[in-house]
Amino acid sequence: MSTSPDPNPRPEPATEVEAQALVSRAVSFADSVVASSAPQWEHERQWPGEALAAAASLGLNRIQVPAEHGGYDLPYTVKLRVVEAFARHDMAFSFAWVNAHNATARLARDGSPAQRERWLPGLLSGRSVGTVCLTEPGAGSDFPAIATRARRNGQGWVLDGEKAWATNAAGADHAVVYAQTDPAAGNKGIAGFLVDLGAPGVTKRHVEPLVGGHAIGAGGFRLEGVELDADGLFYRPGEAFGRALASINGARTYVAAMCNAMLDTALRIAVAHAQQRHTFGSPLAERQGLRWMLADAATDLEASRLLTERAASLIESGGDAIEAAAHAKKFGVRIAEHRLRDCMQILGASGLRDSCPIGRHLVGARIANYVDGTTEMQNERIAASLLRRLATQGKA
Ligand SMILES: Cc1cc2nc3c(=O)[nH]c(=O)nc-3n(C[C@H](O)[C@H](O)[C@H](O)COP(=O)(O)OP(=O)(O)OC[C@H]3O[C@@H](n4cnc5c(N)ncnc54)[C@H](O)[C@@H]3O)c2cc1C
């Protein structure tokens, strides 16, 4: 544990009432700052560093941080509510925030005393942002194929390689970088390292110029002879691969929740428009074809929420959430893409206006297809569980 006093002491103890107050603060922040700034982040291709810092100053980076390190130590579902509140207005900000939060919780939970002492106060207060680098230009879904190498250098390490698509790369000042220490050992050779992104040998590559989702600030880094001392090791070889996978069910489930929140927003906008807009003497809401579009969107949203809640409750109870999280993400992404488009259709040409968030949400749903495991990778998970389960049943 850090020996120096925390300059950002935990504002209040976390009780159930406090958790609700924290979520209320997030909702107010989302309805004011995120709602009004999201179009600007998109147009001006901005990474919302100031808004992320402001969210941290509300205590939001402390949700899953252990109490002994200045956090609230609250359940996963509290984070899920905050993710939803932000995604109602902007999936990209929600994703940037949850990754900033997770970097804080990861460092508090898994960092060494020296690592915590150096980075945690800044992460808790929002002065600093961390990122996590698994993906490389040559390895995304196939994470074990990463080519970034870590070689022993006395008590320390030297890193060489290239990382891509790291969320918040636009403003992050440190990263957990996954690298291969022993190619012959496969997954067991992969280790995680805590890298100061301002250190000699680290070059920030461009922030990805995307078709949308600029608030995610995704980008990469080149690592050339980056020297780390022994304390640079974050996850040991043999431990890192499992650590990378340990949080994936939670990530898949909150991406599903982001999709649900975006569709909920679109449905509200489409219903209001259908009631107010008249064509041929009647409101659009009286046209059966359009009413049924809205009804189908509502049914899909209900089903998706149930899948998301089921995965969340398994995560919270410590159950096996692999299959449930894959179902939730796959279904949430699919229905968001389909039904966001339907909601936009009901708005006619005005759905294309920049002032309407549904177009931004459609891009958000596309992005949700890739992050934290692509839709095809969810199918691989589901198929593997299904085949194993049914094979076991067949033998019974
Ligand atoms: C906005 C954004 C933020 C991101 N943030 C991070 C981050 O913070 N940290 C990080 O490390 N990474 C991050 N990523 C990277 C993300 O995890 C990868 O994009 C993802 O793993 C997919 O890898 P890829 O894009 O290289 O696609 P590939 O792995 O090259 O796959 C290409 C296509 O082929 C499909 N495919 C691949 N293999 C198979 C197979 N065996 N069977 C069937 N289909 C297959 C995939 O599903 C995909 O549709 C981010 C990506 C985005 C878009």
Side-chain angles (χ1 to χ4, degrees), residues 91 95 99 130-143 163-169 176 178 208 210 212-213 216-219 248 366-380:
M91 182 270 185
F95 197 74
N99 275 275
T131 186
V132 61
C133 297
L134 295 90
T135 304
E136 301 184 352
S141 306
D142 188 7
F143 168 51
K163 291 292 174 180
W165 291 105
T167 295
N168 290 324
V176 172
Y178 285 83
E208 294 290 348
L210 304 179
I216 293 179
I248 200 75
R366 278 271 82 231
I367 292 171
N369 266 287
Y370 306 118
V371 294
D372 297 309
T374 64
T375 301
E376 290 76 14
M377 292 301 109
Q378 307 315 308
N379 263 344
E380 281 301 308

Side-chain angles (χ1 to χ4, degrees), residues 2-3 21 32 36 69 84 90 100 102 116 120 132 145 214 229 284 309 314 317-318 336 345 349 354 386:
S2 168
T3 47
S32 53
S36 63
H69 299 308
E84 283 169 347
D90 194 43
N102 294 347
R116 277 198 292 267
L120 193 54
V132 61
H214 298 288
D229 61 21
L284 293 177
E309 279 168 24
L314 279 168
S317 65
Q345 186 69 12
D354 199 46
L386 186 69

